[in-house]
Amino acid sequence: MPINVTVFGENIHERENPLVAEIYPIGMHGCIAAALNRDSELRANAVTQDQPEHGLTEQVLERTDVLTWWGHVGNGLVDDRIVERVHKRVLEGMGLIVLHSGHGSKIFKRLMGTGCDLTWRIADERERVWVCNPGHAIAQGIGATNFTIDREEMYGEPFGIPNPEEVVFLSWFQGGEVFRSGVTYRRGAGKIFYFRPGHETYPTYHHPIVQRVLTNAVHWARPEGRFPLGCAHVPVEQATERFVVDEVPAR
Ligand code: ZN
């Protein structure tokens, strides 16, 4: 069975900034979807925020195993009803991969329950991404203790997230800052991975190791089962074991 991936992109910088359009002629979402589709087990489709329901209709989310999310200037413009819909699907078991400035998205903040704030600087810095857990499924195939992205935006600690379940990557920047750049969570039955690299004015999503991490992350986040939401009442007649209800004094 293929893993169905929906790649959400806000698609604003790509349309408004010629530099971004030059780096990503088919959008960051298009670049990410194409990279994922090179894995024969994945079926990735890109959707954008300007589509009806942001491209995230009930039907699309119903058949999505893993959703990836890149948002920035449009974070606050995402319809709360869609956030609710994505949140529900994550609790049911859909995987979610939140990318870069998606740390400020409504869905990530909702799932984390914290501000998810951080420090930042855009100064063409080198980013060295350290593998903290070489045994983790998301870190497979990197083949080294760390990898380098020649130019990136800096994100620094403190990062206002709850303590992660796992820290897979830690980034160091030329200016000296460090950042927990690859962290995992579970919410309900859904697995969540936040991955830091991916500022729009740099070709980060063309980087082969970044693409490898995203592919690994999709495999890791695929649903293992579906959790039924809602509190179902089980009347005595439908109880698994037969039993006699004791006489209860009237209250
Ligand atoms: Zn950025």
Side-chain angles (χ1 to χ4, degrees):
M1 284 284 282
I3 303 175
N4 290 312
V5 190
T6 300
V7 178
F8 171 85
E10 68 171 26
N11 195 29
I12 297 175
H13 296 298
E14 293 98 322
R15 287 188 286 114
E16 296 183 351
N17 183 342
L19 172 62
V20 180
E22 192 186 324
I23 300 170
Y24 296 108
I26 55 171
M28 283 180 277
H29 47 281
C31 179
I32 292 167
L36 295 177
N37 278 326
R38 281 199 279 279
D39 183 320
S40 61
E41 292 178 27
L42 308 186
R43 301 272 183 284
N45 281 301
V47 299
T48 54
Q49 193 160 330
D50 52 353
Q51 293 174 333
E53 303 182 48
H54 307 324
L56 300 171
T57 62
E58 294 276 9
Q59 294 86 336
V60 166
L61 286 176
E62 181 59 34
R63 63 172 181 262
T64 298
D65 295 312
V66 180
L67 173 66
T68 75
W69 191 284
W70 197 102
H72 181 221
V73 287
N75 277 340
L77 303 173
V78 172
D79 189 326
D80 290 334
R81 287 170 303 175
I82 308 300
V83 176
E84 184 64 34
R85 193 181 281 171
V86 172
H87 184 260
K88 174 173 170 284
R89 284 288 294 124
V90 171
L91 297 185
E92 282 176 342
M94 181 182 76
L96 178 68
I97 296 168
V98 177
L99 302 169
H100 188 61
S101 37
H103 75 88
S105 63
K106 289 181 180 180
I107 184 61
F108 189 59
K109 291 198 282 190
R110 170 99 186 262
L111 286 161
M112 296 297 106
T114 56
C116 303
D117 295 322
L118 43 76
T119 64
W120 63 279
R121 171 175 66 236
I122 301 172
D124 291 356
E125 284 169 80
R126 188 183 326 121
E127 174 175 7
R128 196 179 289 285
V129 184
W130 284 90
V131 179
C132 301
N133 184 353
H136 199 283
I138 298 176
Q140 297 312 298
I142 293 172
T145 55
N146 66 81
F147 65 95
T148 301
I149 302 172
D150 292 334
R151 290 179 305 132
E152 250 295 358
E153 177 181 11
M154 182 281 290
Y155 274 7
E157 297 282 347
F159 185 16
I161 47 174
N163 275 336
E165 207 171 292
E166 302 161 306
V167 179
V168 184
F169 300 112
L170 178 79
S171 286
W172 167 92
F173 297 87
Q174 268 183 290
E177 285 87 354
V178 295
F179 190 77
R180 290 167 288 172
S181 56
V183 293
T184 74
Y185 296 90
R186 284 173 198 250
R187 292 290 184 268
K191 289 188 256 179
I192 301 166
F193 179 57
Y194 171 80
F195 189 50
R196 192 219 77 85
H199 185 67
E200 67 272 8
T201 57
Y202 302 115
T204 300
Y205 293 120
H206 294 287
H207 192 299
I209 298 180
V210 168
Q211 294 184 354
R212 176 73 197 231
V213 169
L214 295 178
T215 302
N216 288 346
V218 165
H219 281 273
W220 169 82
R222 72 182 302 174
E224 290 169 335
R226 188 172 182 133
F227 195 94
L229 299 184
C231 300
H233 175 240
V234 185
V236 171
E237 314 79 70
Q238 289 172 20
T240 308
E241 308 286 350
R242 286 267 156 265
F243 68 101
V244 177
V245 182
D246 289 340
E247 194 92 26
V248 179
R251 271 176 281 187

